[in-house]
């Protein structure tokens, strides 16, 4: 009985120790979580390559320091590197041989999934390693991407030699896809930074090589399969690509400091600054005014990566980009089987198609390559958003008419529509790096590009697997390979997705002016249509706008329409501003920002 209080005290001490241990463990866990989050935030905050003076001097020369670097050199080097990476687009040539070699029932398929895995890993690799690519020397990131891509080919050759489909998925799908993601983003980033005034055309030229890989490797792969076996084919492909890319990487270097504007300019140097009819000379003019000097003193907008990724404009563009590529991603990997089942030996008529499937795939690669350059160049002249809307609208029209051509058995009509859609598909890839650079700054391009490529991954995995699974399930349950109904169902959900992407693209504020343009009191919505601002806003009688004022407003003068709702004192206004009205409002906002900026810089008296 004497030991009872002591025993109770020991239990209390034990409970307090256990509670302290749990609290200590929880504190350590919270601290570790905060440290991890801090590391991630710090990693995604450094998106700028900052070389030391020695490295700047060293980058003036390329090819082992023997040749002085010129800006034109990076274009052919980037095209050839992307050409080697573009061999992934010709994967459909391997589907039938691999299925025959590794699958007991070749008609079940399985090799097609490798293509989807590779593109899926590509996008997520670009998203994760985007900040590292942006802050590293392009030759360093390009070399790592090349080595991993080569390792994927060697692993694929081993998988085919030992007859293991799972090792094939790992080798070409994960390993090669990992190297592909790093190499693809780093090459485009290096080329785009050298041409700030023609970034769309430069990026289009770089990714043109990626589309050209599909065109050339369709023949190369078929030729290698005719003269050797599958393992040797991938060993030869990987080795040749490794040597070619190693040579071309020696011509890749970053531009010198100051080559690109550090941020997004708020005032275009070619614009004339006006305020209520008062004109001022351009920045290079001899005469300046106080108003113009205020506008010219505005610094460029430097947007952190976190702010760019939180922007609704980024995610609207993400949806639009994914919608633009999903149809052709499905067709790229299934065009030979679609031709065979709808128009060839597996069709109801059971005849040879007018041209072999591999030739159709090669021609599609040519249109893919052409679209990347043409659309990138077009976006430099008419604007990124207008160009992207044209691409999406074209795909909407194509997906409406495609079921008609299939139902009528029009082989050439089907191919022509697919080839036009491929131009839109390649064009989206050609202009998206420049689009992101214009919207969020050149230093955020690689990170934003890597993240937006996850849309490529999602479209390839979800879209490709949905299409393949639905067709295979249809055949498994007794359907015929040439039944058009299952294809019409797939075309329908693709059409809905592209329409959603078109609507999202309409609401993308593609320029810094659109994102900073001041909102009026009572504004409900604002968007740019055909280069002019359209907005909807509420006004009240207290604003001294009655029905007579609304009715007397001339559409040619200020493009305003007023709608009174019942007997309320609220009016719904629809305004479609002309260029002069928009410029006046924008310049008033610039003046306010410039004055605020100057007041903050002045010392307190």
């Amino acid at each position: 009985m004497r030991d009872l209080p002591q025993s109770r005290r020991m239990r209390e001490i034990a409970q307090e120790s256990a509670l302290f241990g749990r609290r200590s463990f929880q504190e350590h866990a919270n601290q570790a979580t905060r440290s991890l989050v801090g590391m991630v935030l710090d990693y995604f905050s450094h998106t700028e390559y900052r070389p030391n003076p020695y490295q700047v001097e060293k980058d003036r020369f390329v090819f082992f320091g023997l040749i002085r670097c010129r800006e034109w050199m990076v274009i052919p080097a980037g095209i050839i590197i992307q050409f080697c990476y573009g061999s992934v687009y010709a994967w459909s040539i391997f589907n039938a041989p691999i299925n025959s070699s590794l699958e007991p029932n070749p008609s079940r398929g399985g090799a097609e999934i490798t293509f989807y895995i590779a593109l899926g890993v590509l996008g997520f690799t670009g998203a994760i390693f985007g900040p590292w690519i942006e802050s590293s020397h392009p030759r360093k990131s390009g070399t790592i991407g090349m080595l991993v891509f080569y390792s994927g080919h060697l692993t694929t050759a081993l998988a085919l030699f030992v007859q293991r489909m799972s090792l094939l998925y790992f080798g070409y799908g994960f390993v090669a896809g990992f190297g592909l993601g790093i190499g693809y983003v780093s090459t485009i980033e290096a080329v785009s930074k050298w041409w700030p005034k023609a970034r769309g055309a430069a990026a289009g030229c770089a990714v043109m090589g990626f589309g050209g890989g599909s065109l050339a490797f369709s023949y190369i792969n078929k030729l290698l399969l005719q003269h050797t076996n599958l393992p040797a084919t991938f060993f030869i492909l990987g080795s040749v690509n490794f040597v070619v890319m190693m040579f071309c990487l020696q011509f890749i270097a970053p531009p010198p400091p100051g080559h690109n504007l550090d941020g997004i300019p708020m005032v275009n140097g070619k614009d004339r600054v006006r305020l209520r009819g008062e004109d001022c000379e351009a920045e290079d003019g001899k005469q300046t005014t106080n108003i113009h000097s205020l506008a010219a003193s505005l610094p460029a907008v430097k947007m952190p990566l976190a702010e760019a990724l939180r922007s609704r404009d980024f995610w609207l563009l993400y949806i639009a980009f994914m919608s633009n590529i999903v149809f052709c991603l499905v067709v790229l990997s299934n065009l030979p089987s679609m031709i065979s089942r709808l128009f060839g030996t597996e069709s109801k008529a059971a005849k040879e198609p007018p041209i072999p499937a591999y030739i159709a795939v090669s021609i599609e690669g040519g249109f893919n390559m052409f679209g990347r350059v043409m659309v990138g160049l077009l976006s430099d002249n008419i604007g990124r958003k207008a160009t992207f809307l044209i691409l999406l609208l074209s795909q909407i029209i194509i997906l409406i008419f495609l079921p008609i051509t299939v139902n009528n058995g029009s082989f050439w009509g089907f191919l022509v529509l697919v080839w036009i859609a491929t131009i839109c598909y390649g064009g989206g890839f050609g202009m998206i790096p420049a689009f992101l650079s214009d919207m969020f700054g050149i230093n955020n391009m690689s990170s934003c590009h890597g993240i937006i490529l996850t849309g490529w991954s999602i479209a390839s995995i979800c879209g490709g697997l949905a299409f393949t699974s639905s067709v295979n399930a249809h055949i498994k349950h007794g359907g015929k390979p040439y039944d058009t109904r299952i294809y019409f169902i797939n075309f329908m959900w693709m059409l809905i997705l592209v329409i959603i992407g078109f609507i999202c693209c309409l609401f993308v504020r593609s320029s810094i002016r659109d994102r900073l343009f001041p909102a009026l009191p009572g504004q409900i919505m604002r968007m740019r249509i055909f280069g002019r601002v359209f907005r909807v806003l509420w006004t009240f009688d207290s604003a001294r706008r009655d029905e007579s004022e609304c009715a007397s407003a001339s559409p040619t003068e200020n493009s305003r329409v007023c709608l009174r709702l019942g007997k309320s004192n609220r009016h719904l206004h629809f305004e479609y501003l002309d260029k002069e009205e928009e410029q006046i409002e924008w310049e008033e906002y610039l003046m306010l920002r410039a004055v605020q900026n100057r007041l903050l810089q002045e010392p307190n008296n």
Side-chain angles (χ1 to χ4, degrees), residues 372-427:
R372 295 171 185 243
V373 179
M374 183 196 73
V375 173
L377 184 61
L378 181 65
S379 70
D380 285 333
N381 291 277
I382 70 171
R384 317 291 184 204
K385 181 177 177 178
T387 305
F388 216 92
L389 287 172
I390 292 172
L391 300 184
L392 291 165
L393 183 60
S394 300
Q395 291 217 44
I396 290 172
I397 296 172
I398 289 168
L399 282 166
I400 291 174
F401 284 96
L402 197 62
I404 299 174
T405 62
V406 172
N407 190 52
N408 293 334
S410 175
F411 174 77
W412 290 109
F414 170 79
L415 276 188
V416 168
L417 290 177
V418 168
W419 289 338
I420 296 174
T422 306
I423 294 177
C424 302
Y425 169 81

Side-chain angles (χ1 to χ4, degrees), residues 84-85 87-88 94 145-157 172 176 217 220-221 224 230-246:
C84 296
Y85 284 127
S87 60
V88 68
F94 294 121
M146 173 198 63
L147 290 172
V148 178
F149 189 62
Y150 182 40
S151 301
H153 279 76
L154 297 181
T155 309
T156 303
Y172 200 90
F217 281 97
I220 295 172
N221 294 347
L224 286 172
L230 278 169
T233 296
F234 279 92
F235 177 78
I236 294 171
L237 278 177
S239 300
V240 172
N241 285 339
F242 174 79
V243 173
V244 172
M245 286 193 287
M246 176 63 75

Side-chain angles (χ1 to χ4, degrees), residues 539 544-563 572-578 581:
T539 58
R544 296 184 180 179
R545 286 180 178 266
D546 56 19
E547 294 182 5
S548 60
E549 285 183 296
C550 294
S552 64
S554 172
T556 59
E557 181 181 351
N558 52 20
S559 303
R560 289 190 175 96
V561 177
C562 176
L563 178 64
L572 192 62
H573 277 260
F574 302 87
E575 298 184 349
Y576 191 45
L577 302 183
D578 59 27
E581 287 180 313

Side-chain angles (χ1 to χ4, degrees), residues 200-220:
C205 286
V207 296
M208 176 188 70
F210 201 84
S214 173
L215 175 64
F217 281 97
S218 298
Y219 287 101
I220 295 172

Side-chain angles (χ1 to χ4, degrees), residues 82-400:
Q82 290 288 313
F83 177 86
C84 296
Y85 284 127
S87 60
V88 68
Y89 266 170
W91 177 263
S92 58
I93 300 299
F94 294 121
N95 286 337
I98 291 177
N99 287 332
S100 300
S101 176
L102 302 186
E103 285 288 343
N105 184 7
S107 62
R108 290 179 52 192
E112 298 86 352
I113 299 176
T114 310
F115 178 77
Y116 304 140
I117 295 175
L119 293 188
V121 174
L122 182 158
F124 287 99
T125 300
I128 295 172
F129 288 89
W132 172 76
I133 294 171
E134 192 75 64
S135 58
S136 301
H137 195 286
R139 196 178 304 130
K140 174 183 177 181
S141 57
T143 301
I144 293 175
M146 173 198 63
L147 290 172
V148 178
F149 189 62
Y150 182 40
S151 301
H153 279 76
L154 297 181
T155 309
T156 303
L158 177 63
L160 294 170
F161 181 77
V162 300
Q163 302 283 294
R164 290 290 183 271
M165 184 69 79
S166 58
L167 187 57
L168 173 70
Y169 293 157
F170 173 75
Y172 200 90
F174 285 96
V175 180
F178 185 85
L180 185 63
I182 295 177
Y184 180 88
V185 174
S186 64
T187 306
I188 295 174
E189 181 255 353
V191 174
S192 299
K193 285 188 174 181
W194 275 102
W195 298 85
K197 295 184 179 180
R199 196 164 283 131
C205 286
V207 296
M208 176 188 70
F210 201 84
S214 173
L215 175 64
F217 281 97
S218 298
Y219 287 101
I220 295 172
N221 294 347
K222 195 171 185 65
L223 185 65
L224 286 172
L225 289 173
Q226 291 174 353
H227 291 85
T228 186
N229 55 29
L230 278 169
T233 296
F234 279 92
F235 177 78
I236 294 171
L237 278 177
S239 300
V240 172
N241 285 339
F242 174 79
V243 173
V244 172
M245 286 193 287
M246 176 63 75
F247 176 81
C248 292
L249 277 171
Q250 306 312 311
F251 294 91
I252 298 294
H259 190 81
N260 291 277
L261 180 68
D262 187 14
I264 309 169
M266 293 183 66
V267 180
N268 191 333
K270 297 181 181 180
D271 289 344
R272 295 174 66 86
V273 180
R274 300 185 305 275
L275 187 61
R276 295 298 181 188
E278 183 177 359
D279 288 349
C280 309
E281 294 294 332
E283 291 185 14
D284 54 354
K286 295 181 180 180
Q287 296 180 352
T288 59
T289 66
N290 189 40
I291 294 175
H292 177 258
S293 63
L294 279 174
S297 68
L298 281 170
V301 177
K302 298 181 70 173
M303 183 174 294
L305 177 61
E307 183 179 343
L309 298 181
R310 286 197 302 265
S311 169
R312 67 177 175 89
D313 303 291
F314 177 83
W315 295 107
L316 288 172
L317 184 61
Y318 183 97
I319 297 172
F321 173 74
M322 184 171 62
S323 303
N324 181 65
I325 64 176
V326 66
F327 168 65
C328 279
L329 272 176
V330 172
V331 172
L332 277 171
S333 58
N334 293 281
L335 186 59
S337 63
M338 291 176 68
I339 291 175
S340 177
R341 291 171 177 177
L342 296 175
F343 306 101
T345 56
E346 297 182 65
S347 65
K348 191 173 183 179
K351 61 180 181 181
E352 290 293 331
I355 60 173
Y358 74 92
I359 294 180
V361 172
S362 298
I363 297 175
E364 185 184 30
F367 280 101
N368 188 356
M369 179 174 59
F370 172 72
R372 295 171 185 243
V373 179
M374 183 196 73
V375 173
L377 184 61
L378 181 65
S379 70
D380 285 333
N381 291 277
I382 70 171
R384 317 291 184 204
K385 181 177 177 178
T387 305
F388 216 92
L389 287 172
I390 292 172
L391 300 184
L392 291 165
L393 183 60
S394 300
Q395 291 217 44
I396 290 172
I397 296 172
I398 289 168
L399 282 166
I400 291 174

